[in-house]
Amino acid sequence: LILIGGFAQLLAGFLAFRKYDHLGGAAFLTFSALWSSYGATRIIAATCPSLQNTTLPSGNASHLLPTSMAHFAASQTSSFNVVLLCMALAMELLTICFLLFTLENLPLPFEIAMLSVFSVICFYGATASLANSMFGKDLMMMGPPLFTAESSKKDTEDPPPCICPKSHCTSGLRTIADLLNTGAVCGVPTDTVYALAASCKHPQAIEKVYRIKDRPQEKPICIFISNLDQLRAAAPPISPLLWEFMEKVYPGGIGCIIKKGEWLKKLGVGAGYSRVGTQDSIMIRVPDLTVLVHLIDMTGPLAITSANPSGEVDSTHHDMVISRLGHKLEGVLCDGESDEVVASTVVNCMKIDEGGITIVREGCIPAGKVMQIFESVKNK
């Protein structure tokens, strides 16, 4: 059917050129090429915008292609329904009208009847498509799909290997929080790059993080808290200078290494105390990302490390996390592109009162800026 339709359009274009109707000939030849290449539904949507303003000599039935045809056909490319089938057949009959016109043997009643039928189909199709798309339901019937013209990406994709809720949905946030609270490991967005998260109440989950990443055991894992008030409530032995420095850098892409102690259990670290940080130090960070802060409020402190196999580049989109580690995770909180392309800057503050601070890892915050903040706090 597609080949026959394309041949008919090709013949109409050839005869149009023979009749010195170059505009009409170009229109029919374009219609023929696209018909043969993409099939019935794609061709109507693709060619109508170029044909809708075409003006052909008087008596040529194809000069009345309405603008509404383009809008209707473009909205129907996903399935070939009854209305679209009628439009495709009417278009072929218009081609016959043109062929008869070139032979000067086109009966006027036949031309009027064809134009009337085609106009009614276009008007109904455009009106139905507009009404159905505006109200999100079938107010005007288009007929059942006769066959699927093209499959959507979602239909052809394999299902994700883990639960992947959206970060902007409250239900999605609760889903990930419930998973973390039951000892699962999930991928989460941060204010820098994507990370793997495990609840500090479940040491087995933190152990699993090491296995998922193939992370060396000697490399410690930091913790994230939602705000500095949580840290104050735990009453760690922190000097006024360190408090002042933390107030300047939190929330944000700087993590501070401080002395570890029993105060972490007051913070809510729980059974995972021995699996975060080192024996005498712990890195703490307060992220500057609302969705992650809300998640931490629902779970308590989280053990965090970058969501990538050890030694590889950081993940800057939830799709990267899913494709690289999704088969090993229980869930990934999808938040699109990350705010940064590198991880946080790590600052050793263990000897801040004695000799200053040390940049352990320069990340998204330049080392010079960190030192500038420290000097301003120190001078104050």
Side-chain angles (χ1 to χ4, degrees):
L1 177 60
I2 291 176
L3 291 178
I4 294 174
F7 177 76
Q9 299 292 334
L10 180 62
L11 180 59
F14 172 73
L15 293 176
F17 275 110
R18 289 294 300 271
K19 299 284 288 185
Y20 299 101
D21 181 8
H22 300 299
L23 189 60
F28 276 113
L29 289 177
T30 301
F31 199 96
S32 172
L34 292 176
W35 184 283
S36 302
S37 301
Y38 300 108
T41 55
R42 280 180 177 265
I43 178 55
I44 294 175
T47 58
C48 281
S50 64
L51 294 176
Q52 61 191 20
N53 295 323
T54 301
T55 303
L56 300 178
S58 177
N60 187 348
S62 64
H63 79 284
L64 290 178
L65 290 176
T67 305
S68 60
M69 177 182 174
H71 299 291
F72 161 59
S75 66
Q76 298 301 315
T77 55
S78 61
S79 63
F80 198 86
N81 55 44
V82 174
V83 177
L84 193 56
L85 175 61
C86 293
M87 178 179 285
L89 295 176
M91 191 66 195
E92 289 305 313
L93 290 176
L94 287 180
T95 304
I96 296 174
C97 288
F98 180 81
L99 296 176
L100 292 174
F101 169 74
T102 58
L103 299 175
E104 298 180 354
N105 195 23
L106 175 61
L108 182 60
F110 180 71
E111 180 180 8
I112 294 174
M114 284 309 307
L115 290 175
S116 300
V117 171
F118 187 67
S119 299
V120 170
I121 294 174
C122 287
F123 178 78
Y124 179 84
T127 304
S129 297
L130 181 62
N132 294 345
S133 61
M134 285 181 61
F135 293 97
K137 55 184 178 180
D138 293 336
L139 298 177
M140 300 178 68
M141 294 297 102
M142 304 288 288
L146 302 180
F147 61 86
T148 300
E150 58 181 10
S151 298
S152 65
K153 184 178 179 182
K154 291 182 179 179
D155 293 335
T156 58
E157 278 185 345
D158 293 330
C162 59
I163 299 173
C164 301
K166 303 296 183 182
S167 63
H168 63 270
C169 298
T170 302
S171 59
L173 203 60
R174 287 176 177 169
T175 298
I176 296 298
D178 290 342
L179 288 173
L180 292 171
N181 286 331
T182 56
V185 176
C186 298
V188 298
T190 74
D191 51 343
T192 56
V193 294
Y194 275 80
L196 298 183
S199 172
C200 291
K201 302 171 185 175
H202 298 279
Q204 75 279 3
I206 303 175
E207 288 288 349
K208 186 178 178 180
V209 170
Y210 278 93
R211 294 194 300 271
I212 290 173
K213 287 193 54 166
D214 292 326
R215 184 181 178 88
Q217 290 289 330
E218 62 270 14
K219 296 184 70 173
I221 288 182
C222 70
I223 65 171
F224 276 32
I225 58 176
S226 61
N227 58 73
L228 204 55
D229 290 335
Q230 288 182 327
L231 194 58
R232 290 193 181 96
I238 293 178
S239 67
L241 178 60
L242 181 52
W243 277 120
E244 188 73 21
F245 180 71
M246 285 182 168
E247 288 175 353
K248 290 291 185 181
V249 300
Y250 291 157
I254 298 177
C256 296
I257 298 176
I258 61 176
K259 291 182 179 180
K260 191 176 182 181
E262 292 296 317
W263 56 270
L264 277 173
K265 296 180 180 178
K266 297 180 182 178
L267 189 63
V269 170
Y273 175 85
S274 61
R275 298 304 305 136
V276 294
T278 65
Q279 289 186 349
D280 59 353
S281 67
I282 182 70
M283 192 193 96
I284 295 179
R285 194 157 86 80
V286 180
D288 192 14
L289 186 67
T290 302
V291 64
L292 183 55
V293 168
H294 285 318
L295 180 64
I296 296 171
D297 284 336
M298 300 168 73
T299 62
L302 292 176
I304 295 285
T305 182
S306 58
N308 56 279
S310 187
E312 297 186 14
V313 296
D314 295 319
S315 297
T316 56
H317 194 281
H318 61 256
D319 286 339
M320 293 180 66
V321 182
I322 295 170
S323 62
R324 300 163 87 184
L325 300 172
H327 60 288
K328 299 180 180 180
L329 303 175
E330 283 78 15
V332 175
L333 186 61
C334 300
D335 194 50
E337 290 283 349
S338 61
D339 294 335
E340 300 287 346
V341 295
V342 293
S344 60
T345 297
V346 180
V347 183
N348 190 337
C349 301
M350 296 278 284
K351 299 181 179 179
I352 190 171
D353 296 310
E354 301 170 14
I357 59 176
T358 304
I359 306 297
V360 178
R361 181 186 70 192
E362 184 173 14
C364 61
I365 307 298
K369 184 175 181 179
V370 177
M371 298 306 298
Q372 184 179 3
I373 295 173
F374 172 69
E375 291 298 330
S376 65
V377 171
K378 184 179 178 181
N379 292 335
K380 180 181 178 181

